Amino acid sequence: MQNRKAAAALVLPALLLAGCSLADVKTAVIPAENTATIETAPTPAPQSLTVYASASLAPAVQAYAAAQGVTLTLTEDAAAADLLLTDHAPGGSLLDVTSDTLLAAAAARADITENATALPLGRSLYGYWANEQVLTALLGADGAAALQSASWEEWSDFVETLSDWLAKPKAATVTLNGKDYALPETKPDGVTATGVFAAPADRVSGYSAAILAADGTYTADALEGPLNGVYYAVALEWDHMADSDQNAVFRRAKLTDLLADYGADACQGLTLIPFKCNLDESDLTTEEYNLDGLLNYPVLADVGCIAINADTSPEGLKAAKSAALWLYSNGEGEDTLTETLGVITPWNTASDATTLGAMQVEQAGTGILPGTAFDTAAAEALTANELALQGTEKRTRAERTAFVQAAMSAMGVPEK
């Protein structure tokens, strides 16, 4: 039986406040669910809909089309679409969702009352995902928990040691969260990986920790240190990259990315390790977050948004509105968000009907970092900046400086 729980909003629990250790607080108060409902569209479901959608969000509109008998056309031209489902805030000529009575009611359910060109689709846990059985085979029963709480130095040493071990297994010892763990002398059954990291499905959400460390201040002085930390994390990935997703131990992604790529059944055995950056106390310009929290808690990232092309035809507008309202007001639509996409909705509900869903609900209720929103242009520039590090034979200070400056430029940070 489906069971829904209210999940944490973007308010961090007290344990992430400066001066509090991760073990100080065991639980967090979860906000009450917003039970407001909205009317469904009064007109019959349209017969056709043209959509521009990212791969991770396309299952939502595909579920709508199947449930309502709509002929769906997916296009790669955003300007030609009636409806847009995008990972990041899209550009172009978009309809103000508060200008329509029904869409405005939907926006209000997501606490949007002023002018807005998109409806949020929800949030999802982000970090390094790995098969828990594989981590157990490598490190023992508490290996995953030890990785989650490891320092940057422990994490980076583990990655380098594991990379060598995967190439030539032999007895090795790593230290995680202050405790020694022995890698086995030979590869255990079920461990088939040949490399540490798969190519990330989402690179941009990883910048949340850096921005939080900078106290949300978009200046060169505040962001230089934290972005240096991101550089080291990204360079570590490139230096220990597997040749395919199937041959890797870890993949950086949102849960929605993995559900779309591999399916719900294949994802149920996964566990989450935070995206760890090389941060130190001198990088923090905030009194709100401590270093342990920024290193050891995952990001609850925005998965994307729904927008409607303002220049579409009257028929296209009706079709797009019907799809958006179905996701926001219909029981099957909410199931699509919470179960098919695996998100925590904008009104703070999530499904705990599966092991992975329950893990997401629990994690969001005990400790998360709030994700940072970027528009599509910034997201593409940050992604390109990471890709530029591929294949570099020697990491240099000049490379790190160029990476940081390019990241700042993508974020619109003024030069010093």
Side-chain angles (χ1 to χ4, degrees):
M1 178 179 296
Q2 179 178 319
N3 180 19
R4 300 202 177 279
K5 295 182 179 179
L10 297 185
V11 178
L12 291 181
L15 71 167
L16 291 183
L17 300 180
C20 297
S21 70
L22 296 179
D24 288 339
V25 180
K26 302 298 184 183
T27 60
V29 176
I30 300 176
E33 178 182 345
N34 183 347
T35 58
T37 60
I38 60 173
E39 297 178 40
T40 55
T43 55
Q47 297 303 305
S48 63
L49 176 66
T50 301
V51 178
Y52 174 87
S54 67
S56 62
L57 302 178
V61 73
Q62 288 167 338
Y64 164 72
Q68 299 297 309
V70 173
T71 299
L72 179 66
T73 300
L74 294 176
T75 178
E76 296 183 359
D77 181 4
D82 306 317
L83 187 73
L84 298 88
L85 279 74
T86 58
D87 293 328
H88 305 282
S93 178
L94 304 175
L95 180 73
D96 181 353
V97 295
T98 64
S99 65
D100 175 89
T101 302
L102 290 174
L103 291 175
R109 195 175 192 203
D111 293 327
I112 297 172
T113 56
E114 299 181 354
N115 294 353
T117 57
L119 296 171
L121 278 168
R123 296 160 295 160
S124 178
L125 288 178
Y126 171 87
Y128 290 116
W129 296 89
N131 185 297
E132 187 167 14
Q133 290 184 349
V134 169
L135 295 185
T136 299
L138 293 173
L139 298 169
D142 62 343
L147 281 170
Q148 289 165 349
S149 301
S151 67
W152 164 258
E153 290 76 14
E154 292 173 336
W155 166 253
S156 57
D157 178 69
F158 166 75
V159 168
E160 292 172 358
T161 302
L162 179 61
S163 183
D164 292 339
W165 183 91
L166 290 169
K168 188 176 181 180
K170 62 180 180 178
T173 301
V174 294
T175 302
L176 300 170
N177 196 26
K179 179 181 175 181
D180 287 345
Y181 291 82
L183 291 171
E185 293 184 7
T186 59
K187 277 191 178 182
D189 292 341
V191 178
T192 60
T194 57
V196 180
F197 296 109
D202 176 345
R203 298 178 181 274
V204 181
S205 297
Y207 291 83
S208 292
I211 292 170
L212 294 174
D215 200 22
T217 303
Y218 285 77
T219 65
D221 288 339
L223 278 170
E224 182 175 10
L227 288 175
N228 280 333
V230 175
Y231 165 82
Y232 286 112
V234 175
L236 185 70
E237 286 182 16
W238 279 122
D239 291 343
H240 302 284
M241 190 69 64
D243 59 6
S244 68
D245 298 350
Q246 292 74 24
N247 291 332
V249 178
F250 299 99
R251 190 180 191 197
R252 181 156 53 109
K254 297 190 292 284
L255 177 57
T256 48
D257 300 320
L258 302 185
L259 290 172
D261 284 351
Y262 307 124
D265 291 342
C267 291
Q268 292 309 312
L270 297 179
T271 192
L272 180 63
I273 309 299
F275 175 57
K276 294 179 184 291
C277 301
N278 185 13
L279 302 175
D280 58 42
E281 293 290 349
S282 66
D283 295 323
L284 275 62
T285 56
T286 175
E287 296 182 357
E288 187 172 0
Y289 306 102
N290 65 24
L291 187 61
D292 285 342
L294 291 171
L295 283 173
N296 300 337
Y297 270 70
V299 171
L300 191 64
D302 292 342
V303 302
C305 57
I306 317 171
I308 296 176
N309 187 351
D311 299 325
T312 190
S313 66
E315 294 77 12
L317 175 62
K318 184 173 71 172
K321 286 171 52 178
S322 294
L325 291 168
W326 185 81
L327 289 170
Y328 261 65
S329 65
N330 183 282
E332 288 184 273
E334 181 167 303
D335 288 346
T336 296
L337 292 178
T338 60
E339 296 179 12
T340 301
L341 294 189
V343 305
I344 296 172
T345 68
W347 45 94
N348 290 325
T349 57
S351 173
D352 63 358
T354 65
T355 300
L356 196 59
M359 182 272 285
Q360 180 167 249
V361 169
E362 179 181 6
Q363 182 69 66
T366 55
I368 53 170
L369 300 178
T372 301
F374 292 99
D375 62 25
T376 299
E380 290 177 348
L382 290 170
T383 298
N385 191 36
E386 288 197 10
L387 293 174
L389 298 181
Q390 182 179 13
T392 302
E393 294 183 1
K394 186 176 181 180
R395 304 299 173 192
T396 64
R397 181 175 180 178
E399 179 186 75
R400 185 189 69 194
T401 299
F403 175 90
V404 170
Q405 290 178 343
M408 288 185 184
S409 177
M411 296 178 185
V413 177
E415 295 184 4
K416 287 185 178 181

